[in-house]
Amino acid sequence: MPDPIRLVTYTALFLFLTLTARPSLAYSPAYSPAQSEAQIKPPDEYILGGPDTTVREGYFILSLDNPPTSDLTIQQSADADFSSITTEFNWFGDFSATTLSGFADGTYYFRVNTAAGTSNVIEVEVLHYPLWQAFSLFFAGLLLFLIVVLLIVRMHWVTHDRDH
Amino acid sequence: MTETTEFALNSSLGLGLVLLFGIAWIAFGWYLGRANKTHEDFALAGRNVGLALASATAMATWVTSNTTLVAPQLTYQFGIWGMVGYSFAALGLILFAPLAARIKKLMPNGYTSGDFIRLRYGQPAWWAFIIISVIYAFGWLISLGMAGGILLQALSGLDYHIGMTAILIICVGYTLFGGLRAVIATDFIQALIIIIGVVFIAWYLIDTVSLESIHQEVSANHPQLLELLFPAAIMFLFNNIFFGLGEIFHSNVWWSRALAFKGKVAFKAFLLGGLLWLPIPIVTGFIALAAPQLGIFPPSADMVGPMVAAEVLGKAGAVIVFIVVFSALASSLDSLLAATSDLITRDIYHKKINKQASDKHLMRFNGYSIVGLGVLTWLICLPQLATLGALLNFAGAFVASTIFPVVLGLYQPRLRGGYAATAMVVGTLAGLAGYFLVGFYVAALVSCLVSAIICAVGVWRCRTAFDWQQMQEQETNT
């Protein structure tokens, strides 16, 4: 074991230096806590991104090319022209991505909306795995699990009886 | 940025809490570590851990980033099945109870799971096992380090790297000073904090955001989360169970506990620990279902739990969430550091490199291993390459291949080393093929299935029985 006093000193110094150091990103304009209205990015400059392939699990990530600098929402519609907006989601904080989940089979359209306008529209297609595939794996797993349980219980009792 | 920054804690408070906890845990570890006189004291807490501490450490170690961050993540992704399915991971602890009793019976003076594989199956199987163990240990260590960074970032907006660095330094510090004795003692306190904190958060959440409103929002805009016939979730269910079984059955984290527990405590401790653990993912997972109602859509699904709790409970709640999740992470990280460093010291250094090493020398090497593991984990955590769930499910392909070799190895004398080694290697490769060709939800299942078939052939073909007396090994160190 290293010398405890020396180790405590080094650990305390390392903690102090590491934890008081601010990452360089914290000093970049995007993270500045006091931004003026003039610095707020126009909505048409946001480029919304989404999954490239068909979504099989009902959840996916939407992303922005840059972290948002003001409040914005994601609008969802069943039509590419957004003739009716199904629902809106708040974009959380200044993160550049948001995860949406719980979508049933279907085609969904999303765009970013701010006080000044809307962004590009992206299309997300959700198609869950077929149930036969899900149940095949489920029952294969169930069978294997029962084998493990029966094996452990039986062998435990056999050795337990033998030992006593 | 005035409107969009909605972190529950400011960065200074986040840092303050980290420093406070860091100093408290390291001091406690140093205090407990004064009783460690031999390597056995350091690695196995003198083999004298009673039922209360044993049950608490079993439960607390299994409450980890898996339960506090990944259970909400899976609920957010898979809905009801995500949280119910995750709670089935308790079966790993419950089914390990009889195995732990058997381990204690077969190897009363053993040190590690690697010892068992080496003595029971020989060198080829030991190599396969040790590679799987090390890969898994790093996967888990990295996920825990990442979880520390994610936690602080979600609650206070503090840079990921600072949170990740802090939790690694703290856990390395007190594990280094106190060994398994400190790990188990801190686990006991952390278990109490986790149970009280989780129950409080869930109660407050239900009281504040009604069940009706959560149900209404999820049914309208996220219907699949309440769907019982959710294909991906159904596929995930047994895969998760086999992943949990593989994690516990093979890992030295659990073997070192089984060997450290006093007398016949092991069976009861793991059974009780499993039963105590069972409802925790349900509670932590439920928190995620409230996210849509609260307008919280996290950047990464593994951040949903802390973000919802902090939103509902405000600043005081965020402090509670921080303490609970930090305790959960620390209780697992310390255990993993201790168990993996034991494996490196005992199985690799002592048995392969320096067989004549003295007890004092081994104790010192164990300390260096803890620091080395911490530094390596820190380096790998820096780029934050994957989400927690993805990282953990990748490891499933490795650990599930060890389930049958470990279970049969403990009870069935007719499984020989060649078949055990083949089962682990081919099972892992099959699991990885499943992971890349089909998806993460089949990796552990395929791995376990292939390994089981090879083991069954091995038992069927073998005509000679293993002599259990070979498990008793004479120590060479002084």
Side-chain angles (χ1 to χ4, degrees), chain B residues 317-475:
Chain B
V319 173
I320 296 170
V321 173
F322 175 86
I323 293 169
V324 169
V325 183
F326 201 85
S327 301
L329 294 175
S331 65
S332 305
L333 193 47
D334 59 8
S335 304
L336 199 55
L337 282 169
T340 312
S341 65
D342 288 351
L343 209 62
I344 292 168
T345 305
R346 168 80 185 179
D347 284 72
I348 297 174
Y349 184 71
H350 188 207
K351 293 295 171 186
K352 298 286 173 197
I353 299 169
N354 187 356
K355 290 187 178 177
Q356 301 305 318
S358 68
D359 194 71
K360 200 170 179 177
H361 185 86
L362 288 176
M363 205 164 148
R364 195 165 56 239
F365 187 85
N366 213 327
Y368 294 145
S369 302
I370 291 169
V371 176
L373 281 170
V375 171
L376 205 53
T377 306
W378 180 77
L379 287 172
I380 302 172
C381 281
L382 280 176
Q384 198 184 359
L385 290 173
T387 67
L388 295 175
L391 191 72
L392 287 168
N393 282 306
F394 182 75
F398 290 83
V399 298
S401 72
T402 64
I403 295 172
F404 277 90
V406 167
V407 171
L408 292 172
L410 281 167
Y411 293 104
Q412 172 55 265
R414 283 173 53 205
L415 182 66
R416 310 301 289 182
Y419 282 99
T422 309
M424 287 188 273
V425 172
V426 178
T428 299
L429 293 175
L432 287 174
Y435 180 92
F436 288 113
L437 298 176
V438 185
F440 76 85
Y441 39 82
V442 298
L445 178 60
V446 170
S447 170
C448 182
L449 184 65
V450 170
S451 167
I453 292 168
I454 295 168
C455 287
V457 172
V459 172
W460 175 62
R461 285 179 58 90
C462 183
R463 295 288 171 264
T464 55
F466 177 76
D467 176 12
W468 296 112
Q469 287 306 312
Q470 290 180 38
M471 301 301 296
Q472 309 303 322
E473 189 182 36
Q474 295 300 316
E475 290 301 310

Side-chain angles (χ1 to χ4, degrees), chain B residues 76-96:
Chain B
Y76 190 70
Q77 292 169 329
F78 294 139
I80 300 289
W81 273 118
M83 64 182 180
V84 173
Y86 210 90
S87 72
F88 287 170
L91 293 169
L93 280 182
I94 292 167
L95 287 173
F96 191 66

Side-chain angles (χ1 to χ4, degrees), chain B residues 64-79 82-84 86-87 277 280-286 288 301-302 304-305:
Chain B
T64 166
S65 57
N66 300 15
T67 350
T68 50
L69 297 177
V70 182
Q73 171 190 346
L74 291 171
T75 308
Y76 190 70
Q77 292 169 329
F78 294 139
M83 64 182 180
V84 173
Y86 210 90
S87 72
W277 190 89
I280 292 177
I282 306 268
V283 178
T284 55
F286 170 76
D302 45 16
V304 70

Side-chain angles (χ1 to χ4, degrees), chain A residues 1 7 14 18-19 21 23 32-33 57 59 70-71 89 92-95 97-99 101-102 129 134 137 155-156, chain B residues 1 3-4 15 76-77 98 159 162 165 169 176 222-224 230-231 235 237-238 242 297-299 307 364 411 441-442:
Chain A
M1 286 286 292
L7 198 65
F14 192 39
T18 314
L19 299 181
S32 170
E57 292 95 3
Y59 62 85
S70 63
D71 279 352
F89 306 101
F92 191 89
D94 53 4
F95 294 107
T98 191
T99 307
S101 68
Y129 291 101
L137 288 170
M155 291 191 301
H156 178 71
Chain B
M1 286 292 294
E3 298 298 317
T4 57
L15 277 175
Y76 190 70
Q77 292 169 329
D159 186 70
I162 297 178
T165 306
I169 290 175
L176 186 65
H222 311 272
Q224 204 67 25
F230 189 154
M235 292 193 283
L237 187 70
F238 276 101
F242 285 114
F297 303 98
M307 284 168 75
R364 195 165 56 239
Y411 293 104
Y441 39 82
V442 298

Side-chain angles (χ1 to χ4, degrees), chain A residues 18-135:
Chain A
T18 314
L19 299 181
T20 51
R22 294 289 304 275
S24 57
L25 196 61
Y27 298 105
S28 71
Y31 282 78
S32 170
Q35 280 195 320
S36 65
E37 286 296 316
Q39 288 175 295
I40 293 174
K41 203 170 185 177
D44 57 352
E45 282 189 28
Y46 286 123
I47 298 172
L48 184 64
D52 297 328
T53 54
T54 302
V55 173
R56 308 304 305 268
E57 292 95 3
Y59 62 85
F60 48 87
I61 295 173
L62 301 181
S63 58
L64 293 176
D65 56 334
N66 284 306
T69 51
S70 63
D71 279 352
L72 49 85
T73 54
I74 294 290
Q75 292 181 328
Q76 178 195 322
S77 175
D79 312 303
D81 59 1
F82 281 75
S83 53
S84 73
I85 292 166
T86 317
T87 188
E88 289 189 329
F89 306 101
N90 293 324
W91 194 278
F92 191 89
D94 53 4
F95 294 107
S96 56
T98 191
T99 307
L100 300 178
S101 68
F103 285 81
D105 285 352
T107 305
Y108 303 89
Y109 297 91
F110 297 93
R111 69 183 181 189
V112 173
N113 182 46
T114 69
T118 57
S119 73
N120 62 313
V121 175
I122 60 157
E123 180 185 310
V124 177
E125 191 186 354
V126 177
L127 180 64
H128 286 270
Y129 291 101
L131 274 173
W132 66 261
Q133 185 180 338
F135 279 116

Side-chain angles (χ1 to χ4, degrees), chain B residues 256-314:
Chain B
S256 63
R257 275 160 176 68
L259 293 165
F261 295 166
K262 175 165 66 177
K264 294 182 177 176
V265 158
F267 183 92
K268 290 179 197 165
F270 280 105
L271 193 61
L272 194 57
L275 294 174
L276 282 171
W277 190 89
L278 190 71
I280 292 177
I282 306 268
V283 178
T284 55
F286 170 76
I287 290 170
L289 287 180
Q293 169 65 15
L294 295 165
I296 293 175
F297 303 98
S300 168
D302 45 16
M303 291 168 81
V304 70
M307 284 168 75
V308 170
E311 174 76 14
V312 173
L313 302 170

